[in-house]
Amino acid sequence: MRRALITGITGQDGSYLTELLLDKGYEVHGLIRPATDLSQSRIAGLCAEASVYSRRLFLHPADLATRAGLRELVGGVRPTELYHLASQSHVGLSHRDPEGTCEVVAMGTLRVLEAARALGGTVRVFNAASSEVFGGATQSPQDEDTPLAPVNPYGCAKAFALQAARTYRRSYGLHVCNGILYNHESPRRGGDFVVQKICRAAAAIRLGIEQELVLGDTGVERDWGHARDYVEVMWLTLQPEVADDYVIATGRVRPLQEVVELAFATVGLDWRDRVRHDPDFKRPVEPGRLCGDARRARERLGWAPRTGFEEMIREMVNAHLGRLAPPCAPA
């Protein structure tokens, strides 16, 4: 039985990846924050399954800020595959707390790489990089050879982590792959991310819970895919004998305004009656036209996204309708 260790296991990507690996017969270990309430987490359902939890799924409280504790955990689990997904991944928060972001994203990744190196080459590592490393890129689409040009603290921290992973691969022979992930969403996305915010607001307004949605610039464009599709390629990157970096993207850019229109259309409302724009919501600097060229993943790994943009947005809105709708009165 292959054994995987996932940092950030309770996050959007971590929860989908856990399900994928369990379906493939893995023993899965996850790093969680010491104060995590599993009953409210994205893996609550798996933790409630007696045939899974503590049999094929094991969770370990640990802190990426503690080098010794992380190395001890990795050395104790001795995974064959290590997926490093844990991160402070909110760009807006990185402007408010750049030091904290760099501590978690940059130094946390360095500690994971050191812990993996201590195993002596017996583990394959996936590092979740981000399209934000290309924030100021002058070419579009971007591929694995596009020069790094971050424009915010989060992008800077991810650029450090990506380069650190490349350095450990070249200098120490560590089998580590960077997955350069473009924006990816799902019903499990955190509520402070803009696409999830829009989808929830559309559902809440339809149900009469809220009255309006306030947004900044809806003209920004992104390459959006579904997290469920993206964790599949995370696994695929670690299967070849030679490690490399892979852009993970759909290759199609859409404006945020299209998310707004589709979300409100899903619930039968005209967005013009419910959406207000506030310039104070704009970020100091927005990345350029981030569009990923996933040709390497397609040709070497046989991967292509399966979930369309429209299907993804409808799925997210309908998930909120189900969560927010009041329970039916007893007969």
Side-chain angles (χ1 to χ4, degrees), residues 152-212:
N152 55 58
Y154 172 68
C156 290
K158 278 294 186 182
F160 174 94
L162 182 149
Q163 290 288 60
R166 287 174 172 172
T167 297
Y168 273 64
R169 184 171 67 218
R170 295 165 180 164
S171 299
Y172 305 126
L174 186 65
H175 190 113
V176 55
C177 299
N178 285 302
I180 305 173
L181 298 154
Y182 281 64
N183 291 58
H184 48 293
E185 315 292 331
S186 78
R188 302 180 189 179
R189 187 63 144 152
D192 51 352
F193 290 87
V194 67
V195 172
Q196 186 74 302
K197 177 182 177 181
I198 292 168
C199 292
R200 184 194 180 282
I205 292 171
R206 171 77 273 177
L207 296 170
I209 299 171
E210 297 176 4
Q211 299 303 312
E212 69 171 5

Side-chain angles (χ1 to χ4, degrees), residues 220-241:
V220 297
E221 295 180 324
R222 293 291 183 273
D223 182 333
W224 276 296
H226 199 297
R228 186 173 49 233
D229 295 337
Y230 284 24
V231 301
E232 179 185 13
V233 74
M234 292 179 188
W235 175 77
L236 286 170
T237 64
L238 295 190
Q239 306 318 302
E241 290 302 315

Side-chain angles (χ1 to χ4, degrees), residues 41-292:
S41 74
R42 296 175 180 86
I43 58 171
L46 293 173
C47 293
E49 292 186 29
S51 61
V52 174
Y53 191 49
S54 296
R55 291 178 179 269
R56 297 176 55 217
L57 173 61
F58 304 87
L59 302 177
H60 308 271
D63 190 343
L64 287 176
T66 306
R67 179 174 59 181
L70 182 62
R71 183 175 295 190
E72 182 179 349
L73 169 60
V74 174
V77 172
R78 300 197 70 81
T80 51
E81 296 175 4
L82 195 166
Y83 297 86
H84 178 45
L85 312 183
S87 178
Q88 186 301 95
S89 56
H90 195 282
V91 172
L93 179 57
S94 79
H95 285 292
R96 298 191 295 274
D97 183 17
E99 284 190 48
T101 297
C102 289
E103 177 63 33
V104 172
V105 177
M107 296 308 298
T109 301
L110 188 62
R111 294 182 187 109
V112 167
L113 293 170
E114 272 293 287
R117 186 163 76 102
L119 291 181
T122 61
V123 61
R124 298 185 177 189
V125 180
F126 174 87
N127 175 53
S130 167
S131 61
E132 292 289 338
V133 302
F134 301 137
T138 56
Q139 72 177 69
S140 185
Q142 299 86 40
D143 60 23
E144 295 82 3
D145 297 320
T146 299
L148 305 185
V151 297
N152 55 58
Y154 172 68
C156 290
K158 278 294 186 182
F160 174 94
L162 182 149
Q163 290 288 60
R166 287 174 172 172
T167 297
Y168 273 64
R169 184 171 67 218
R170 295 165 180 164
S171 299
Y172 305 126
L174 186 65
H175 190 113
V176 55
C177 299
N178 285 302
I180 305 173
L181 298 154
Y182 281 64
N183 291 58
H184 48 293
E185 315 292 331
S186 78
R188 302 180 189 179
R189 187 63 144 152
D192 51 352
F193 290 87
V194 67
V195 172
Q196 186 74 302
K197 177 182 177 181
I198 292 168
C199 292
R200 184 194 180 282
I205 292 171
R206 171 77 273 177
L207 296 170
I209 299 171
E210 297 176 4
Q211 299 303 312
E212 69 171 5
L213 169 63
V214 182
L215 294 171
D217 182 9
T218 57
V220 297
E221 295 180 324
R222 293 291 183 273
D223 182 333
W224 276 296
H226 199 297
R228 186 173 49 233
D229 295 337
Y230 284 24
V231 301
E232 179 185 13
V233 74
M234 292 179 188
W235 175 77
L236 286 170
T237 64
L238 295 190
Q239 306 318 302
E241 290 302 315
V242 178
D244 209 338
D245 299 336
Y246 295 89
V247 163
I248 304 175
T250 70
R252 183 171 180 182
V253 169
R254 297 174 184 268
L256 187 63
Q257 179 62 32
E258 194 169 338
V259 176
V260 174
E261 294 173 8
L262 182 56
F264 278 84
T266 299
V267 296
L269 294 176
D270 188 338
W271 68 271
R272 298 175 187 86
D273 300 329
R274 302 292 186 166
V275 177
R276 178 167 60 87
H277 293 87
D278 186 340
D280 289 340
F281 279 51
K282 292 183 179 180
R283 291 173 181 165
V285 180
E286 283 288 354
R289 195 171 188 271
L290 294 179
C291 179

